[in-house]
Amino acid sequence: MLTIQKLQIYGFGKHENVTISLQDGVTIFYGMNEAGKTTIQQFILQILFGFPTKQQAQRKYEPKASTKFGGQLTIVHPIYGQCTIERVKGKATGDVTVYMADGAKGHEELLAKLLYGYTRASFEAIFSFSIHELQGIEKMSEEELTHLLLASGTTGIHQLSSLEKKLDKDAGELFKKAGKLPLINQKIEQMKQLEKTIKQEQAAIQTFEDKSRKLQQLDHQLLHLNKQQKELQQDWQQLTIMQQATPLIQQQQTLQQTLTNYAQVEFPAEGIRRYEQLKDRLTHVTLQMAQLEEQYQALQKRLQLTVDESVIDEMARLMHQEATWNQLLAKEQSFIDELFLIEQDIEAQFRLLGVQEQEAQKILLEKTVSLQQEEQFQHQLSILLKTEEELKFHLHSIEQIHAELDGIARQRKQLEQESLTTEEEHILAQWPQRKKRLEQLRHVKLQRSKQKQPASLLFFVLVICLFVLLYGVWQKNIAVIIGGAVMSLFFVLLLKNAWPTDEPTSEQHRQLLRELEQEENIVQALLMKKQRLEDRRTLITEQQQEKERQYAQLEHKIQQAEQVTVEVTQMLQSFLGRYHLQGNVPRALLPELFMRIRGVQELATKKKSTSQLLHSIQAEKRALYEQIQKLLQENYSEQEIFMHLRTFYLTIQREQQDMAHIQEQLTNLASNMQEAQPLIENYEKEIAQLLRAANVQSENAYYETFAQYEQQQQLNTALQAIQSQLASLNVSNQETVMTEEQLSEKMHVLEEHRNAIQVEIDRCLEERAALQMQKEYLLNDEKYGQLLQQFEEEKSALQQLIEQWTAKKALATAIHDTLFQLREEKLPHVLSQVNAIFNLLTGGRYDKLSISERGHFEAQAVSGVRYHVAELSQATKEQAYISLRIALAKTLATSAPFPFIMDDPFVHFDRNRTNKMVQLMKEVGYERQILYFTCHEAMLEFWQKEQIVDLGALANERGVTST
């Protein structure tokens, strides 16, 4: 079998630098919650099969407080011998190296050979299970539970069953007999609708000729209506020209009369724009000038403020002390923390030494701890330890002798039970007389056998004489007949005298002889049994005397060892009293007592020097703090003092920079004021020139003149536009025009006639357009062809879907047949092993575990009643699951001799069935290694101490840190 000898953890989860040695058979990993049981279980699986990748759901267990990740497994392989598997952080699943016993090395390929090609999933499906796999078992339906048990009883069935369900699901998504959502059902419905639409299109194509004749009639009617509409349009245009010309001629006459009444006015070109532009610039420059003067006055006032240079220099000097200040604060806190830790260590050492009073602690710190005193103390301590070891050994030996004496007593009691019964003793007492009778019967038998020998010879000769007589008769020889008759008569008389006459008595003797011989065999067996019992009784008596002698010797040695222990203990207590160590000092502390006392004294010296350094640091810090407080003239905390100093210093620096900037601004303002004055004078001069050009003196008069000039320009423009329009209409103002009432009446009549024709044209156009669209649609419509093409495409797509559905159903049927064949061929071999295991785990309540005709698991009780597995209790279901797992492993003893890894799967078992499970584990432990992880202390009473790995004690010894 393949066994794991040693785990060496570099860093994995909460474990770091841990080495665990394992034994063959059963190993129990015990620990409370958070002790790291699951971490070790996952360490074994991940070292063997690789670290999980980012795409996998398992936890990677990388340590948070260490850079080391990985470890080693030392295994004994049935083919390759002892091997070491090392896996550390590297690629996705880690870098693995396999070290062989002969010095050879390998990697993933060699590891795959060591693991017989198994993956983690296939390994966990058989050899690794936990309570998490069994927690939901009571809620499973009969189908789910049967599938779980089948998967646990046959390898490969889980993957095939999952694939079968997926194929059935995919086939159901393609087609269902009465479904609407599957794709094939939808395609069939779509093809029915397409066929209906195609029939409608065929009916619409037959109306094409009627629409063509109707279009020809509408074209003739539209030609006639368009001709009438054109004639009316010409009349309408003539009347419209006359209507447009009449008001234009009237306006022309009115404008000419108005222009004759206006006097001619002169005004500068773009006078208003130029005037307003100059006015805006003058106003803007004037406002700028006022603002500049105001800013100049304000800056002159700010220049009067001054700053004390000596204060700035002092602040700058103190600002350079900030790093020193931070160092002082850090050193002070460091010394305070160090003093706190030293005091904690001193208190911890005093508590370990049992010295609680201040006076006793002071005396202990002043005591001299010489090497001579330590050597004397260690000598006494070694005597005590040696004596205690001898005492422990003697006590263990006397316990063994007790057990052996108890065994001898049981043997003696059993010997008494096996001793001869009263009836057997009676048989032995009667045997001497019966033996004499037996010897007599044997003597008589011997004599009779001697008498029967001549009688037999005479009988043989008589037969010959009879043959001679018969031969003479046959040959008709008288002499031969007479001779044969005489000889026959003679030998008959002799045979009568030689043959015994007491036949009934001889038969009784033979019966009695047989009974006595049987009794002789019984007596010989009883004598042998009696001799054996006497030999065993003598041997037991000698063993008991020897053990009683050893017991007396051990009692004497124990008394001597106890006396020495008391004397040495009193001497050690007296020695400890010199150092005021009250109470019982822990035995584990005694070997390093003097080292701890020296450690306390060294810590006290270190505390004194650290306190002196702390006082000097605090004095330097206090002096610097007072200087800053004096400069700031306000009280601030030590943590904020330099922050306020820096703020004050930066404020003063900004004020100095502001003064320089203000001086520069005053220079710029003076320059800007000198540049603005000539601009104001120039703008005022140009405004005066514009007023003179318009022959006015004020701004209001300037705007009134512009209004008169603008009206005059508008009248000229309007007159030119009217003249241009009359020219375009080809109408002169001398022509005689109709009145507006006449024109309106004539245009109204014409408009009604034209509207009636237009309505008829629109109707004909709409009808023609509708018919034309229908005709074009019928001519150019490809819908019918597209529908036929779509129908063929849908038929092809339907055929493909049917082929897919057929393939999936065929594959699902093949997988179903394969599963059935797998269950029929492999599962019976597993079930032949599982019944004994299941019967043992259930305390003999169930005889066998089998599969019904419907493919469901059933459990048969001893009464013959069969139960579906779903009807069983939670614990019995789990026992069936575990039985199948172990039975499957038995069938794979040569092809996969892996160890079992169990994580507390028996929590639902009662006391009796837990005992049965432990018995099964011990039996399986002879065939393959078992690693059992538990947090239940009650499980420890079933196993030897050397089989238990206490993870809590391991963490304390190795210094494992929690993550």
Side-chain angles (χ1 to χ4, degrees), residues 658-713:
D658 291 344
M659 294 304 166
H661 185 61
I662 288 170
Q663 188 65 41
E664 183 180 354
Q665 285 181 338
L666 286 173
T667 303
N668 293 333
L669 288 175
S671 175
N672 292 336
M673 290 169 64
Q674 291 177 0
E675 293 175 358
Q677 189 62 36
L679 289 175
I680 293 174
E681 293 175 357
N682 186 27
Y683 291 153
E684 290 177 349
K685 183 178 179 181
E686 289 181 1
I687 290 173
Q689 290 177 357
L690 287 175
L691 292 177
R692 285 196 299 272
N695 294 321
V696 294
Q697 300 295 327
S698 63
E699 182 179 350
N700 293 333
Y702 186 79
Y703 278 104
E704 290 176 358
T705 303
F706 172 71
Q708 294 176 4
Y709 176 77
E710 193 176 26
Q711 287 180 358
Q712 185 177 346
Q713 293 297 322

Side-chain angles (χ1 to χ4, degrees), residues 689-818:
Q689 290 177 357
L690 287 175
L691 292 177
R692 285 196 299 272
N695 294 321
V696 294
Q697 300 295 327
S698 63
E699 182 179 350
N700 293 333
Y702 186 79
Y703 278 104
E704 290 176 358
T705 303
F706 172 71
Q708 294 176 4
Y709 176 77
E710 193 176 26
Q711 287 180 358
Q712 185 177 346
Q713 293 297 322
Q714 290 177 354
L715 290 174
N716 288 327
T717 302
L719 182 61
Q720 290 177 1
I722 290 171
Q723 291 174 353
S724 176
Q725 290 178 4
L726 289 173
S728 64
L729 293 173
N730 197 15
V731 177
S732 63
N733 55 358
Q734 289 81 17
E735 291 183 4
T736 303
V737 295
M738 291 185 291
T739 62
E740 292 183 2
E741 290 78 5
Q742 292 173 345
L743 286 172
S744 298
E745 184 178 356
K746 193 170 182 178
M747 290 181 69
H748 180 68
V749 174
L750 190 63
E751 179 70 19
E752 289 180 351
H753 191 193
R754 193 177 67 169
N755 289 339
I757 293 174
Q758 185 63 42
V759 170
E760 184 64 19
I761 290 173
D762 292 341
R763 185 192 65 78
C764 291
L765 288 173
E766 288 179 1
E767 187 175 358
R768 189 182 70 172
L771 291 172
Q772 189 68 29
M773 286 179 63
Q774 294 176 5
K775 181 180 177 182
E776 292 292 332
Y777 178 76
L778 293 174
L779 286 174
N780 301 323
D781 186 19
E782 298 179 355
K783 184 177 180 181
Y784 181 69
Q786 291 175 353
L787 288 173
L788 292 177
Q789 182 179 0
Q790 184 180 0
F791 184 80
E792 293 299 325
E793 290 175 354
E794 294 292 338
K795 185 189 293 185
S796 176
L798 178 61
Q799 183 65 29
Q800 293 177 359
L801 290 174
I802 292 173
E803 291 175 358
Q804 293 178 13
W805 179 82
T806 305
K808 292 182 183 294
K809 290 298 288 184
L811 185 56
T813 303
I815 291 174
H816 180 76
D817 295 340
T818 302

Side-chain angles (χ1 to χ4, degrees), residues 3-8 72-76 82-85:
T3 59
I4 301 174
Q5 283 190 331
K6 184 171 69 174
L7 313 177
Q8 186 173 354
Q72 289 185 354
L73 282 183
T74 301
I75 67 172
V76 176
Q82 189 177 48
C83 309
T84 299
I85 304 169

Side-chain angles (χ1 to χ4, degrees), residues 21 74 121 144 232 398 550 693 712 733 738 781 877 962:
S21 297
T74 301
E144 295 172 336
L232 291 173
I398 206 169
Q550 294 177 1
Q712 185 177 346
N733 55 358
M738 291 185 291
D781 186 19
K877 294 176 186 176
S962 178

Side-chain angles (χ1 to χ4, degrees), residues 357-383:
E357 297 180 359
Q358 296 292 331
E359 188 64 27
Q361 292 177 359
K362 184 176 180 183
I363 293 171
L364 184 61
L365 292 175
E366 295 174 354
K367 277 286 185 182
T368 302
V369 189
S370 65
L371 293 176
Q372 293 80 4
Q373 291 174 329
E374 183 179 1
E375 183 178 0
Q376 181 183 359
F377 181 80
Q378 292 293 346
H379 177 68
Q380 296 295 331
L381 183 60
S382 63
I383 293 174

